[in-house]
Amino acid sequence: MRTVIAGGHGQIALRLERLLAGRGDGAAGIIRRPEQAGDLLAAGAEPVVCDLESASVDEVARHLEGADAAVFAAGAGPGSGVARKETVDRDAAVLLADAAERAGVRRFLIVSSMGANAGLEGTPDGMDPVFASYLRAKGAADDAVRARAGLDWTVLRPGRLTDDHGTGLVRLAERTGRADVTRDDVAAVLVALLDEPRTAGLTLELVGGETPIPQAVAAVAG
């Protein structure tokens, strides 16, 4: 299987690439900066230099040709302002979905965020205004992906991400409640979702838990 991952140099993406390459799958990571290519090669992935903030649908679709799945794991990242939450977290996700449809790549996973909500009004008490914009952007991206009949999509909404070692034990459900989850476990869940086509059409929250990942994915697949 060949999977193309947007945000290919991100912390979750690099973990995902290592897992895919480690089992013999092809992984390609879309990156904005050529100097990031070495890290992808070290992870066993093919680096694809393409700026999703300026690329056309046709350009991205060319990078997706022949792929079995696309994963959106890009993000503007800490320290970015409202504008890049919209151009990366929202618009780049929509661009990748457009390109996947054009290239005929049906399987599409998007790494979202717990609390993502396009209809979030204003800034809730105690919340940073930029983070509120991030949740709106992620929610809008999720909505745009879920509206597409041409994609077998799954939306994954992790809780607060940590760099602790993965445990392989999670809680995966439509609603989980707020808790932490390791980036290792998020990447492992993405692999399991790619392997389980019956998870298409689901929006799932993910936190650390007590259920082994294969069983957790099987349970939501029904």
Side-chain angles (χ1 to χ4, degrees), residues 85 97 112 118 136 158 168-169 212 214:
K85 303 303 184 194
S112 183
R136 279 190 287 270
L169 301 173

Side-chain angles (χ1 to χ4, degrees), residues 60-185:
V60 179
R62 285 194 294 272
H63 296 309
L64 288 168
E65 287 177 1
D68 300 289
V71 178
F72 184 82
S80 59
V82 171
R84 294 204 73 227
K85 303 303 184 194
E86 295 174 352
T87 59
V88 178
D89 293 285
R90 184 192 65 196
D91 296 347
V94 174
L95 174 65
L96 189 70
D98 287 340
E101 284 193 309
R102 187 159 300 182
V105 179
R106 290 197 61 92
R107 191 69 174 111
F108 192 97
L109 273 57
I110 181 168
V111 181
S112 183
S113 174
M114 193 171 292
N117 180 3
L120 183 67
E121 295 184 2
T123 303
D125 290 343
M127 183 180 289
D128 177 72
V130 175
F131 186 67
S133 297
Y134 166 77
L135 292 179
R136 279 190 287 270
K138 295 299 283 185
D142 294 351
D143 290 348
V145 168
R146 292 184 296 196
R148 295 166 189 267
L151 297 178
D152 296 327
W153 54 264
T154 304
V155 176
L156 184 65
R157 292 178 165 177
R160 192 180 75 88
L161 298 170
T162 76
D163 288 323
D164 297 333
H165 291 298
T167 65
L169 301 173
V170 299
R171 185 177 178 203
L172 181 69
E174 184 178 347
R175 294 285 183 271
T176 61
R178 293 186 178 276
D180 294 350
V181 63
T182 72
R183 289 180 172 87
D184 285 350
D185 287 333

